[in-house]
Amino acid sequence: SIRRQRQMCIRDRSSLNLPTVIIGSFIENSKFDCISADEKAGVRLSVENLHQKKHRKIALINGPSTSYQSQIYEQGYKNVINELGINSYVLELEEFDIKGQENIVKQFLKKHQDITGIVCSSDNLALGVMNIAKDLGISIPQQLSIIGSDNTPITNLISPKLSTTHVDLKQMGETAVSRLFIKLKSPTDHKHNINCIFPMNYIERETTAFLNS
């Protein structure tokens, strides 16, 4: 699996004793610095925003369970769903892209026509869901609110503009480079590894709205 390959790669690099900084993943008990986004907080912000807009049937459309990001997203989603006391609806796809999986998503939307809000673990998934919803005659956001994740450039260019979550990638990159330089200066010092988790912010655009009773 992808996860197993990643773990093997990390073990191999660990045995080589090379200065390493991992970006985009948190590895528990890692010998390396880990620089990542707070994905759990991101999905919490998304679900809570929909809940505040009176949505009670909120689904998660996620990538493959072998992905670290998918695992964190589902954990975060289920945590907040349980706290809010509402039902969970999870669709797991093979990739963080709808292409080739359109029928699976279409059947999911047809089966759960009472769902009024969808949180996606990537903007690409959200964009794909938007297209399928339009094909099914579902209006966004009047009938279905959709939130992505990553704040990729296209999210602000499409119509309607996609609501999403954002992390400061520039700051993450600068932190990773800074930590790598520190490790290069002290290659034998492995006692000061850090786990740096960057906050995510919610960006309200045009694909979310209050649920009409």
Side-chain angles (χ1 to χ4, degrees):
S1 69
I2 296 173
R3 187 183 183 191
R4 186 174 180 180
Q5 289 174 354
R6 184 190 297 119
Q7 290 172 337
M8 290 174 64
C9 179
I10 292 171
R11 283 199 299 268
D12 291 343
R13 182 166 287 276
S14 179
S15 64
L16 292 174
N17 204 31
L18 295 173
T20 301
V21 176
I22 299 171
I23 305 177
S25 290
F26 167 76
I27 311 297
E28 194 170 354
N29 300 320
S30 172
K31 295 180 179 179
F32 309 124
D33 286 3
C34 295
I35 313 295
S36 61
D38 193 347
E39 304 280 7
K40 282 186 180 179
V43 70
R44 173 177 289 275
L45 288 171
S46 297
V47 172
E48 287 181 343
N49 179 273
L50 290 172
H51 191 264
Q52 289 167 5
K53 288 181 168 63
K54 309 303 181 184
H55 295 268
R56 298 296 182 265
K57 305 286 186 179
I58 303 170
L60 169 66
I61 295 186
N62 207 5
S65 60
T66 50
S67 161
Y68 167 83
Q69 182 183 0
S70 295
Q71 294 164 19
I72 293 300
Y73 246 83
E74 185 165 351
Q75 289 173 18
Y77 167 80
K78 288 186 174 178
N79 286 346
V80 67
I81 286 292
N82 289 336
E83 289 175 19
L84 294 172
I86 57 179
N87 292 331
S88 67
Y89 305 85
V90 179
L91 176 62
E92 179 188 322
L93 299 176
E94 295 179 357
E95 299 291 342
F96 288 99
D97 195 311
I98 294 293
K99 189 175 181 179
Q101 304 175 92
E102 292 90 347
N103 286 335
I104 297 173
V105 177
K106 189 172 291 186
Q107 292 306 314
F108 179 79
L109 294 179
K110 286 182 177 179
K111 180 180 179 181
H112 301 288
Q113 295 184 26
D114 55 343
I115 287 174
T116 61
I118 294 178
V119 174
C120 299
S121 57
S122 78
D123 288 336
N124 279 342
L125 286 176
L127 295 175
V129 173
M130 287 174 63
N131 288 333
I132 291 171
K134 289 175 183 176
D135 289 344
L136 293 174
I138 301 171
S139 61
I140 302 168
Q142 290 80 9
Q143 292 176 283
L144 182 65
S145 288
I146 299 174
I147 301 175
S149 176
D150 298 332
N151 192 30
T152 50
I154 194 173
T155 58
N156 201 32
L157 300 175
I158 59 170
S159 181
K161 296 178 181 179
L162 180 65
S163 297
T164 186
T165 52
H166 169 79
V167 66
D168 192 334
L169 295 176
K170 182 175 182 290
Q171 192 176 6
M172 283 180 66
E174 289 173 349
T175 301
V177 171
S178 175
R179 290 299 303 172
L180 189 57
F181 274 123
I182 290 171
K183 288 179 172 294
L184 288 170
K185 290 178 181 178
S186 305
T188 58
D189 184 5
H190 299 295
K191 297 180 181 179
H192 300 97
N193 295 322
I194 66 167
N195 293 315
C196 189
I197 301 176
F198 283 78
M200 297 195 78
N201 302 311
Y202 174 73
I203 300 175
E204 178 87 11
R205 293 199 179 112
E206 299 172 349
T207 57
T208 45
F210 276 86
L211 181 65
N212 293 321
S213 299

